[in-house]
Amino acid sequence: MQRLLDGYRRFRGDWPERRAVFERLAAGQAPRAMVIACSDSRVDPTMIFAAEPGELFILRNVANLVPPYEPDSAFHATSAALEFAVRVLEVSDLIVMGHAMCGGIGVLLRGAPPGAGDFLVPWMRIAEPARQRALRSAGADPQSACERESVKLSLENLLTFPWIAERVSARRLTLHGMMFDIHSGELTILNRSGAFTPADAAGGARASGG
Ligand SMILES: [Zn+2]
C-alpha cells in the first residue's frame, strides 16, 4: 500500500503540469475508442497505446471476454460498459485486446485453481466455443490458439448487440482484434484473413461487417 501512496504523491507533485488537462476533462469525456482488455496486471492498454487520460474508454475483465447480447435482469458489467461507450459516448473504434499467458484462458483449458471456481468457471464458459475451435485447430499450443480464438469470439459476440451491429453496418463503428505478447511487448492485429500480424507492419485493422 505504501508503494501506491508514494505513487499518488508523485502524481500530485506533477499536478501543475496536469491541471489543464484534467480541468478540460472535467467538462466531459469524449474518448474515440473503447478497449476491452484482460484484468491481468501485465496488460495495460494505456501504457501500450501511450494514451492520455480521456482518450480510451477501457473495460477490463478476466480474459477480455464479451458475452452475447442478453438483455435480462442479471448483472451485466461488460454489456453495461459497452452500452455506455457505444450508445452514450458513440466511440468510433472498439478494440478487443487479448494477450499471451492469459490465466483466464488457463482456467478454461485446465479448470479453476483450487478454491476459486464460484465465478471464474461460469464466466469462462462464455469462451467455450473458442476452446472447442482451438482444440480442433491447435497444434502444440492450445493455450495460444485459445487466446486467439477467444478474441475472435468476442468480436462475433459484439455483433449480437443490435446497436453495435447497426453502427458497424453504417460504418460509424469499427471493430478490431488485437493480441499483446507480454514477453516481447509486441502487439499484433487481426486481419481479414483471420491471422494476427504485427501492428507496425499491418496495412490496417480488421473491420468487421464492412
Ligand atoms: Zn488474461
Side-chain angles (χ1 to χ4, degrees):
M1 193 62 199
Q2 193 52 50
R3 153 79 190 85
L4 300 182
L5 292 175
D6 290 345
Y8 173 62
R9 256 173 233 120
R10 285 201 295 280
F11 170 77
R12 290 301 292 173
D14 294 340
W15 186 249
E17 298 102 85
R18 294 202 161 118
R19 179 190 295 270
V21 171
F22 280 91
E23 281 178 353
R24 178 173 51 78
L25 290 173
Q29 62 168 331
R32 299 320 306 147
M34 175 177 183
V35 181
I36 300 167
C38 186
S39 300
D40 191 302
S41 60
R42 301 165 295 180
V43 181
D44 181 351
T46 303
M47 178 184 278
I48 292 167
F49 292 118
E52 296 296 324
E55 275 194 275
L56 296 177
F57 189 90
I58 299 175
L59 171 80
R60 296 175 72 171
N61 65 30
V62 172
N64 42 270
L65 299 185
V66 175
Y69 179 70
E70 285 172 349
D72 55 30
S73 59
F75 301 122
H76 292 294
T78 297
S79 305
L82 278 169
E83 183 163 44
F84 199 86
V86 172
R87 299 181 97 177
V88 180
L89 299 174
E90 295 275 359
V91 295
S92 58
D93 292 272
L94 222 167
I95 297 157
V96 177
M97 183 192 288
H99 72 99
M101 296 173 268
C102 182
I105 296 297
V107 168
L108 183 65
L109 291 172
R110 296 179 290 279
D118 285 0
F119 295 100
L120 275 174
V121 169
W123 171 253
M124 287 309 303
R125 230 169 258 144
I126 294 169
E128 176 58 23
R131 188 185 74 89
Q132 289 175 13
R133 286 182 217 164
L135 293 181
R136 273 198 302 273
S137 69
D141 190 357
Q143 168 88 22
S144 174
C146 196
E147 286 158 356
R148 284 165 171 70
E149 287 299 333
S150 78
V151 168
K152 295 178 190 177
L153 179 71
S154 285
L155 291 169
E156 290 163 24
N157 284 346
L158 282 172
L159 291 172
T160 66
F161 290 71
W163 26 267
I164 291 179
E166 274 166 33
R167 284 167 175 77
V168 168
S169 324
R171 298 181 184 275
R172 289 161 56 198
L173 177 63
T174 307
L175 310 186
H176 311 269
M178 300 185 185
M179 285 290 301
F180 180 67
D181 186 304
I182 290 170
H183 194 259
S184 67
E186 187 188 41
L187 189 70
T188 50
I189 300 183
L190 182 61
N191 64 30
R192 288 171 190 278
S193 65
F196 286 84
T197 50
D200 50 8
R206 166 192 164 122
S208 292

